[in-house]
Amino acid sequence: MPNREIKNSRAVVTGASSGIGRAIALELAKQGCKVVCLARREDRLQALAKEIESLGGDAVCVAGDITDAAVRANGLAAAQANFGGLDILINNAGVGAIGPFETAAPDRVRTLMEVNFFSLVEMTRAALPLLKRGRRPTIVNISSILGRRAAPHNSEYSASKFAVHGFSEALRAELAKSGVGVLVVSPGTTETEFFDRYIEKTGAPQWPKHGAVTAEYVARATVRAIRRGSHEITPYFWGKFLVLLNRLSPWLVDQIMARYA
Ligand SMILES: NC(=O)c1ccc[n+]([C@@H]2O[C@H](COP(=O)([O-])OP(=O)(O)OC[C@H]3O[C@@H](n4cnc5c(N)ncnc54)[C@H](OP(=O)(O)O)[C@@H]3O)[C@@H](O)[C@H]2O)c1
């Protein structure tokens, strides 16, 4: 099948107020896609919409918490009302927490699963009827390299991202006949506000120095993957290396991970 056309597509991007989501919304808009931008910080969304409009694009803001079903419904209704439908759903909103599992309160895993997994699942469920009427519809789930290989002090976060992978893989097969594509993006260390906005930080592994990529780099790779109809991308060199090493020798990676716990 030829490359998918982004121009004149209609997208909803969750977590569009900063980082990777913001960069994806901008990249889509630059390529002629109309975008609904959803997140809690309305001032950030308004600034993004202005930037998109200054580039000649179309953007609509929906402010609210992705864990709220009414907010998810508002985001989808905005795509229908303003753009006449939906072709691309970017499930990107996410939060992190870091520190040992043993001393963490049960709330921590509940919050991470609620934002990173259940909201993504329920947004997908609500969007499917619209997507099925869309043009070359695609669901993009932003996971993490920690959804391919878990790391110490990230047990709950890794679990939430592994869940995204499992859900996405099953859904891709289920939706194949209906023409709805499912792309999983597994970023590695990316320069965003993510690390300053952990919901809890009670400890962290002292990893050896490793570089970070920009949110714009991840966004360009993501939009390119949407065009190509890819199933999965890992826009981070060390992430690809880690996954490969883990496939060749999970025992060795376990030993390395244990050193940093
Ligand atoms: N940065 C990395 O190194 C990295 C690596 C792997 C995976 N990721 C994943 O990439 C995605 C984007 O993260 P980022 O790095 O771009 O971090 P970020 O700059 O902190 O962006 C997170 C986005 O999610 C939104 N969000 C969080 N909780 C929300 C809620 N309850 N309701 C609505 N929106 C919510 C935030 O907006 P508001 O606060 O305004 O609501 C923000 O727009 C996440 O899923 C993250 O797990 C990041």
Side-chain angles (χ1 to χ4, degrees):
M1 212 185 280
N3 267 359
R4 176 191 208 293
E5 186 61 74
I6 299 291
K7 199 169 161 51
N8 293 326
S9 293
R10 299 143 310 170
V12 170
V13 182
T14 73
S17 59
S18 64
I20 294 170
R22 185 181 199 283
I24 291 177
L26 258 174
E27 186 61 30
L28 285 170
K30 279 182 193 161
Q31 299 195 24
C33 179
K34 301 170 178 130
V35 198
V36 175
C37 304
L38 191 155
R40 290 166 301 182
R41 289 170 293 176
E42 194 167 9
D43 53 333
R44 299 282 199 104
L45 295 179
Q46 297 292 355
L48 172 62
K50 267 202 187 125
E51 191 172 340
I52 288 175
E53 279 155 19
S54 74
L55 296 169
D58 256 327
V60 172
C61 306
V62 173
D65 194 314
I66 195 68
T67 62
D68 180 345
V71 171
R72 296 193 292 266
N74 287 345
L76 298 171
Q80 176 69 53
N82 293 278
F83 308 143
L86 179 68
D87 310 303
I88 303 171
L89 170 64
I90 313 273
N91 283 314
N92 163 78
V95 285
I98 194 153
F101 168 74
E102 200 176 353
T103 51
D107 281 0
R108 191 161 92 181
V109 68
R110 297 265 163 203
T111 304
L112 290 187
M113 291 303 285
E114 202 59 60
V115 179
N116 297 353
F117 181 62
F118 292 126
S119 297
L120 174 149
V121 167
E122 294 309 331
M123 188 64 175
T124 302
R125 194 196 306 279
L128 272 174
L130 260 185
L131 283 169
K132 283 186 157 180
R133 298 197 297 272
R135 300 185 289 262
R136 298 282 300 271
T138 307
I139 298 164
V140 181
N141 292 333
I142 308 296
S143 179
S144 167
I145 196 64
L146 297 183
R148 304 291 308 283
R149 167 69 223 200
H153 298 268
N154 281 279
S155 58
E156 300 101 330
Y157 179 75
S158 299
S160 74
K161 295 300 189 177
F162 264 78
V164 169
H165 275 267
F167 172 67
S168 306
E169 216 168 271
L171 198 65
R172 182 181 303 120
E174 277 184 38
L175 295 177
K177 283 201 184 97
S178 68
V180 181
V182 179
L183 163 66
V184 183
V185 178
S186 301
T189 310
T190 309
E191 287 161 8
T192 69
E193 297 169 19
F194 183 80
F195 308 96
D196 304 322
R197 305 191 77 219
Y198 280 135
I199 58 164
E200 190 172 90
K201 185 170 181 176
T202 56
Q206 296 305 308
W207 300 117
K209 260 203 169 335
H210 58 291
V213 296
T214 64
E216 290 69 28
Y217 174 82
V218 175
R220 284 193 299 274
T222 301
V223 175
R224 201 162 47 238
I226 296 172
R227 296 177 81 101
R228 289 179 179 158
S230 307
H231 288 184
E232 183 157 356
I233 59 163
T234 305
Y236 188 64
F237 172 80
W238 290 112
K240 286 184 194 144
F241 178 75
L242 177 65
V243 172
L244 178 66
L245 191 61
N246 192 53
R247 196 172 295 152
L248 295 174
S249 178
W251 177 88
L252 176 63
V253 179
D254 274 349
Q255 301 303 306
I256 297 169
M257 290 290 176
R259 277 189 55 190
Y260 291 99

